[in-house]
Amino acid sequence: MLGVPKPSPVLLPPQPYSLPSQQYQQPPIGPAQLSSSLAALSLQAQAPEALRVVNLLQERNLLPPGPIPAPTPCLPQDLQKLNCNPEVFRCTLTSIPQTQSLLNKARLPLGLLLHPFKDLSQLPVVTSSSIVRCRSCRTYINPFVSFLDQRRWKCNLCYRVNDVPEEFMYNPVSRSYGEPHKRPEVQNATIEFIAPSEYMLRPPQPAVYLFVLDVSHNAVETGYIDVVCQSLLENLNSLPGDSRTKIGFITFDSMIHFYNLQEGLSQPQMLIVSDTEDIFLPTPDSLLVNLSECKELVQDLLKSLPQMFAKTMETQSALGPALQAAFKLMSPTGGRVSIFQTQLPTLGIGALGSREDPNQRSSAKHLSPATDFYKKLALDCSGQQVAVDLFLLSAQYCDLATLGCISRYSAGSVFFYPSYHNQHTPAQTERFQKDLKRYLTRKIGFEAVMRIRCTKGLSIHTFHGNFFVRSTDLLSLPNINPDAGFAVQMSIEENLLDMQVVSFQAALLYTSSKGERRIRVHTLCLPVVNSISDIFAGADVQAITGLLASMAVDRSVTASLTDARDAMTNAVIDSLTSYRTSVLAIQQPGLLAPACLRLLPLVFRYIPYKKAFRTGTSTRLDDRVFAMCQLKCQPLAYLMYLVHPSLYRLDTLINEGPQNIDDHIISQPRVLQLSVEKLIREGVFLMDTGSVSFYFWVGRNCNPVFLRQVLGVQSYADVPLNMNHLPELDTAESGRTRAFIGWLREQRPFYSVLHVIGEESPLKSIFMQNMIEDRTESALSYYEFLLHVQQQVSK
C-alpha cells in the first residue's frame, strides 16, 4: 500500500505556568553549533538503501509489502528525535541543496506538504501570558533554535539573537527554574499555544452553523433531505461548540425560505422571500439562534422539513440568491455555511447553462469557471470569516468547475455524490450518511490564518489547496478542518553555503469551537547538502508525487490536459536523466533509478489515467473536476491512497502475518502488482481505490468453503450482483476479512463503499481500468512505458 504509517502520539500535559527558581544548566548543542558534527555525517553512508541502483526493466516486484515510511532526514540523533512528524509536515527533499543551480541540476521539485490541523492523539498545549517569538521575523521558539547562554537564544530562521523572557526560565513540566532549553516549546516540533489577548482582533467568535438546502422537485426526488435532517437530529448534540453555539436554516427553489426559530415560538415559522433579484433578511435577529436555548424548535423543524416540500413541482434553483442571503446572515459573526445542491442553478444571479458537451470534456476552458460570481462571493465570505462547504448530489451536470469556487476561495470543502438517489443508489446513500456524520462532528477551527516561514535564503512562491492568499505567505482560512491538506512550492533565492541546516515553520492561528484563540505551530528541520547524490538520497517519493499532482491540476486548467500529462511524464524523465548523468559513476544498460525513487515511474504511469487527467470523452466534466479537487486538497497520507490502488488477496489471509493493532489482531496481506496476471480464478481479491470504493473480486473457481464462511452463499453463482456489505458471520474467516477491511477504512476520513463483484459484474470494467500495469487500447503497459522513458533518458 502506498500509504503512510500512523504517527506516534506526543505526550505532554497542558499546564499553566508560574515562576519558582532554580540554577541554570548549560544547554546541549543547537543547530548553530552543528558545523563539525553535521559535516562528519555522510548521507550516503547513512542511507545506502536509498541510493541502491535499481534497473526498473528487470525488477518487476517493486511494491513494498506494506506502507512506505517517510525518509528520515540525515540529522544528528538529538535533532532527529525532535523533528516534526512527516504526516503533519514534510518536504519533497529531506536534504536541501545549497544552491538553486544544484537544485536545477537534480531536476527534482522542492516543496512542502502540510496537514496542519490533523487529528492528533495527544498534543502538548501551553498556557502562558507571553509567547516567545523572534523579535525580527516573528518565528515561534522551537526545538531548533540555539541558546547562546542563560538569557539569549538565536533564531533558526533569520539568526537574530533574542532575549529569553523571565517567565520562560521556569519549566512547568519539570517544575524547575533556569532550564529554558527543556521547556515544552523547545522539546516539541508540534505544539499548541492558548493565545493571549493580543492575538485577537475581536472576541473569539462562537461556533455558527448555517444549513442551506435545495428543496426543488429534483432535490426532493433524490430523497437526500430525509438523510440530512435525520443525520442532524442524531448528531445535534455532537456539533462542536459550547453554550454560545448558533444554528440556522435556509431552503430554496425559485424562492428563498427562512426559518424563525426564536425562543418562545410554539413552532418554527417559515418566512418566504420571492424577490431573488434584491435579496434581504426578513427578520435578521431570529434566523440564527442559540442551539441550546432553541433546540426543541430546531428538532421540530428537522422532523417536519422533509414533508414540507414533498409534493413540490417547483423545478427552478436560485442558488446564487440563497448564497447571498447566507452571506448577509453570517457576516456579523462568521462561521460555516453548508450548501446542499442537486442541480444546475437556473434562476437569478449565478445562474448557469450546461457546458457538458461530450466533445469538450477535456478542454481547459470547460475546467475553468463560467462566471466569477462564485469566486467573488467566496472572497467576500473569506473577508467576513465565513467558509462555504458544498455538497453536490446530482445525476445531471452541475458545473462543479464553477460552483466549486465558492468553497475553494473560502477555505471550504467539496463533497460530490454523482447519480445520488436514496432508493436507486444505496451505496451512495451509505457513503453520504457516513461522510455527513463525520462532517457534522469532526473538529473545526474558526477565523483561522496560517503563515509559513522558512530559513533566510529559501522562498515560498506557490500554494495549493482551498484558501485565499491574504499576503505573500499568509493564508486566510475562515474554517480549518482535520481533513484539509496544503502543498507549497519553494525555491532557493540565496545560496545556503554557510548553513548546515534549514528550518520551516507553519503557524496556524484559529478559534476553537469552545471559543479559545489558539496557535498550532509545526517546525521542520532539514540538513543542507552540496552533493547531488545526497539530494537524491533524501528524495521523498510520496511528497514529490503529492506536489507534482497539485502542479499538474493547475497545468490542466491554465494550459491543457495533454500538457499536464506530458509534464508528469517529463518530470520522471528529467529526474532519471539527472540521476543517470550526475550521480551514477558507471553507466550501465537499462533504466536505472535510485531505490528511493523506484516507484516514481509506476505512480506517474497511473496518475495520467485517473479521472482528473484522462483524455477522451468518457469522463464527465463534474467527475473530472472533483477528482482534481481531491488531488489538490487531500493531505498526503490520504492522497497516496488515491494515486495508486492497492490489490490484496483475501482468501489466504490465514497465512498472512497478523499484527496487533490497537488490541485487535489484523491480518496484513501483501500488496500485489496491478496486473491481470495476479488474478487467479481460484482466488478472492480486494482492490482499495482510496476514494470511494473497495472492489471485492470473487474468482469463478473460488473455494465454496470461503464463500460460505465470508459471503454466506453456497456457490459462485449465488453471489448477489449488488452486494455492498459482508455479512457478520460467526466464522474465523469472516472475522479476519471484516477486520482487515475495517482497518483500511479507519486509515482515512472519507467512507469507501464495498462492491462485491464477479467476473460477469457490470463493475468489472472499472476494476480492470485500475490494472495499470497491463496494456489497454488507450495506454501503454507499464513495461512499455518504462521502455519509452528509457529511450528519452538515453538520448
Side-chain angles (χ1 to χ4, degrees), residues 517-528:
R517 203 73 176 132
R518 291 185 167 222
I519 311 155
R520 188 173 295 191
V521 179
H522 309 288
T523 311
L524 173 66
C525 179
L526 297 174
V528 175

Side-chain angles (χ1 to χ4, degrees), residues 211-226:
F211 296 91
V212 183
L213 291 87
D214 176 2
V215 291
S216 64
H217 176 72
N218 187 68
V220 173
E221 277 294 296
T222 68
Y224 94 87
I225 301 170
D226 302 75

Side-chain angles (χ1 to χ4, degrees), residues 338-495:
S338 308
I339 294 277
F340 297 84
Q341 173 75 0
T342 68
Q343 61 176 310
L344 207 60
T346 56
L347 196 68
I349 193 164
L352 298 169
S354 177
R355 298 193 290 168
E356 178 64 54
D357 178 352
N359 296 317
Q360 297 292 323
R361 283 177 170 170
S362 57
S363 90
K365 177 183 176 184
H366 290 74
L367 297 173
S368 302
T371 170
D372 62 2
F373 165 74
Y374 294 95
K375 177 179 179 179
K376 285 182 175 177
L377 186 58
L379 296 180
D380 290 341
C381 286
S382 180
Q384 298 300 317
Q385 303 297 344
V386 176
V388 183
D389 296 327
L390 175 64
F391 288 81
L392 201 55
L393 310 101
S394 175
Q396 305 300 321
Y397 172 70
C398 283
D399 199 349
L400 185 55
T402 301
L403 298 187
C405 292
I406 193 68
S407 299
R408 179 180 174 186
Y409 295 102
S410 69
S413 305
V414 174
F415 300 83
F416 182 47
Y417 305 89
S419 305
Y420 180 89
H421 193 283
N422 266 17
Q423 269 73 49
H424 302 158
T425 57
Q428 285 279 41
T429 303
E430 181 185 23
R431 187 167 71 90
F432 179 46
Q433 288 171 326
K434 301 280 189 182
D435 288 352
L436 190 55
K437 179 178 181 179
R438 173 166 173 83
Y439 170 77
L440 293 172
T441 58
R442 72 186 179 185
K443 188 176 178 180
I444 185 170
F446 296 99
E447 49 186 345
V449 289
M450 182 168 69
R451 179 169 263 125
I452 302 171
R453 298 178 172 90
C454 49
T455 294
K456 185 180 177 183
L458 294 166
S459 172
I460 292 167
H461 59 82
T462 310
F463 295 94
H464 302 276
N466 285 1
F467 49 77
F468 170 60
V469 182
R470 192 179 292 177
S471 64
T472 52
D473 62 349
L474 186 70
L475 304 187
S476 174
L477 305 167
N479 287 179
I480 181 68
N481 70 74
D483 305 329
F486 304 88
V488 184
Q489 289 171 245
M490 305 195 71
S491 58
I492 303 169
E493 284 199 334
E494 299 174 21
N495 293 345

Side-chain angles (χ1 to χ4, degrees), residues 677-749:
E677 71 182 41
K678 294 298 179 184
L679 296 180
I680 59 171
R681 289 189 161 181
E682 293 75 25
V684 174
F685 298 85
L686 182 76
M687 181 181 285
D688 177 4
T689 63
S691 52
V692 297
S693 298
F694 290 115
Y695 294 102
F696 191 97
W697 168 278
V698 183
R700 181 187 297 278
N701 299 333
C702 173
N703 189 331
V705 175
F706 181 87
L707 294 178
R708 286 195 297 273
Q709 294 183 337
V710 176
L711 296 181
V713 298
Q714 295 302 310
S715 68
Y716 174 83
D718 298 326
V719 177
L721 269 180
N722 296 314
M723 192 173 187
N724 295 120
H725 293 92
L726 298 183
E728 294 189 22
L729 303 176
D730 189 17
T731 66
E733 287 77 5
S734 173
R736 267 193 296 269
T737 305
R738 286 183 291 106
F740 175 62
I741 295 172
W743 175 72
L744 289 177
R745 277 188 171 132
E746 288 168 9
Q747 308 294 305
R748 64 204 74 174

